[in-house]
Amino acid sequence: MTGGTSSPSALPVVGPYVPWLPSPALPEPVAAEGLAGARVAVKDVIDLAGAPTGNGHPLLLAEAGTAARHAACVSRVLDAGGVTAGKTHTDELAYSLGGTNAHYGAPANPAAPGRLTGGSSSGTAAAVAGRLADLGLGTDTAGSIRVPASYCGLYGLRPTHARADVTGISPLAPSFDTPGLLTRTLPLMRDATAALLAGTEPGDHTTRRLLAPADLWSLAAPDVRAALSPALARLAAGLDLAPDRASLFDDRAPIPHASARDAFTTVQAAEVWRAHGRWITRARPEFGPNVAARLRIAGRVGRDSEESARSRAAAVARWLGERLAGAVLAIPATPTPAPAYGEPGTGVREALLGLTCLAGLGGLPALTVPGPRAGGLPVGICLLAAPGGEEQLLAVAAFVEAVSDGD
């Protein structure tokens, strides 16, 4: 494994769809009930029948055969009336939140020109934001749906881990991997969620508490906190609940917040190496510098470190389930708007993972909802609930949807 020498800012800006598959001729979008005619963009870690799955790396693409059948998540949205629009770019191995790929470039962000789309569902978000698709199918491990949703002004759903079928999706870190959805509108998100989760049982959740903990909000930049304040106020008014601003990681938490984030990244890294390490060792592929650095760390995670991290992660999962019973947790989806072209630095990534790791640790559903803009740039508020709470989140998101830039 080697690290590439090109800086992210030197990479070409590209369209959302992969160049090795022709995009089918599709009708113009029409207003219709459900998913009838909805153009579906599919992230290139998700199988489409008759097409290879490249996982964001040309060597993997070269070794890939054509998929015999659609991934389960694709079949569900197509059975509900969706139409495949094509496969979209992803970050290398989907192991990045930046929205860049050292081999293919960086998909342009139609909602914030000159800014990153966010990754790793980068091309999918760009397609939906640019109206080249109506519905995006991506994956979310550490925030790969929620981050690009925030950066591109979209709705982005990461479902409850146990409710989402991962059949036909290339693994990254199976303890946290899940398919997810991106849309421009809340009604389409509701219909797509119903299709994706058909046949599964929702939780019996009533929202009795609204959590907006100061420790998590403090991870966001002041302009993001200010921009999202009207969204939080509208949510509180709609629920007729005062936000509880007490820290989530207080004295009752099993471990500090930073330790929870580190436990997530350690388990993720161990599983990434388990999924890809043998191929990396054999093929010695080249990666961009940031992904290469993370893979070097992943290859050094020992058994004791992994077991310790898993123990801490399990404790946090149990505790989050207790804290979110009957509650909606509202936090900034990202600490900043989309950074200027070039992957975020370490400090930004740590703050980002501090917000996004909770859903993975707890197996929680999380819904990014577009909020008022920060400095003219999109930014989202993320709503989380206890497992099985997708329907709960979609219901309360209507209160946030009413917020405009003029509020």
Side-chain angles (χ1 to χ4, degrees), residues 125 152 191 296 309 330 350 354 378 394:
C152 296
D191 293 334
R296 282 192 291 270
E350 287 182 355
L394 291 166

Side-chain angles (χ1 to χ4, degrees), residues 120-133:
S120 61
S121 301
S122 50
T124 308
V128 176
R131 299 183 178 271
L132 298 176

Side-chain angles (χ1 to χ4, degrees), residues 78-118:
L78 297 187
D79 288 347
V83 180
T84 304
K87 293 199 99 173
T88 49
H89 283 295
T90 180
D91 298 22
E92 296 168 284
L93 306 183
Y95 198 19
S96 172
L97 294 173
T100 63
N101 187 303
H103 308 281
Y104 301 119
N109 184 342
R115 303 274 173 161
L116 296 176
T117 57

Side-chain angles (χ1 to χ4, degrees), residues 203-295:
D204 183 14
H205 297 306
T206 301
T207 306
R208 299 185 297 274
R209 294 178 297 128
L210 173 61
L211 309 180
D215 56 337
L216 299 184
W217 278 77
S218 70
L219 296 175
D223 62 334
V224 172
R225 296 198 301 269
L228 294 180
S229 290
L232 179 62
R234 187 69 63 90
L235 177 61
L239 292 171
D240 194 23
L241 293 169
D244 183 350
R245 303 308 298 261
S247 292
L248 186 66
F249 283 85
D250 57 17
D251 291 342
R252 295 172 291 176
I255 57 175
H257 181 209
S259 182
R261 181 199 64 213
D262 292 346
F264 174 88
T265 57
T266 298
V267 174
Q268 181 192 29
E271 294 193 356
V272 168
W273 193 255
R274 197 165 290 125
H276 296 289
R278 182 176 297 178
W279 172 74
I280 290 170
T281 301
R282 172 181 62 80
R284 299 184 60 81
E286 183 172 303
F287 294 98
N290 294 289
V291 174
R294 283 192 284 280
L295 287 169

Side-chain angles (χ1 to χ4, degrees), residues 310-369:
R310 287 191 182 280
S311 177
R312 287 178 283 142
V316 173
R318 290 190 295 270
W319 175 77
L320 286 171
E322 295 169 1
R323 292 287 285 131
L324 267 65
V328 165
L329 172 64
I331 59 175
T334 53
T336 66
Y341 191 42
E343 193 169 25
T346 301
V348 174
R349 183 177 171 82
E350 287 182 355
L352 194 58
L353 287 171
L355 293 169
T356 62
C357 72
L358 301 179
L361 286 167
L364 311 174
L367 177 67
T368 293
V369 181

Side-chain angles (χ1 to χ4, degrees), residues 118-163:
S120 61
S121 301
S122 50
T124 308
V128 176
R131 299 183 178 271
L132 298 176
D134 306 301
L135 171 63
L137 271 174
T139 59
D140 190 305
T141 300
S144 291
I145 286 285
R146 292 163 286 156
V147 171
S150 181
Y151 288 176
C152 296
L154 301 173
Y155 291 87
L157 176 74
R158 172 201 169 92
T160 302
H161 194 272
R163 292 187 74 183

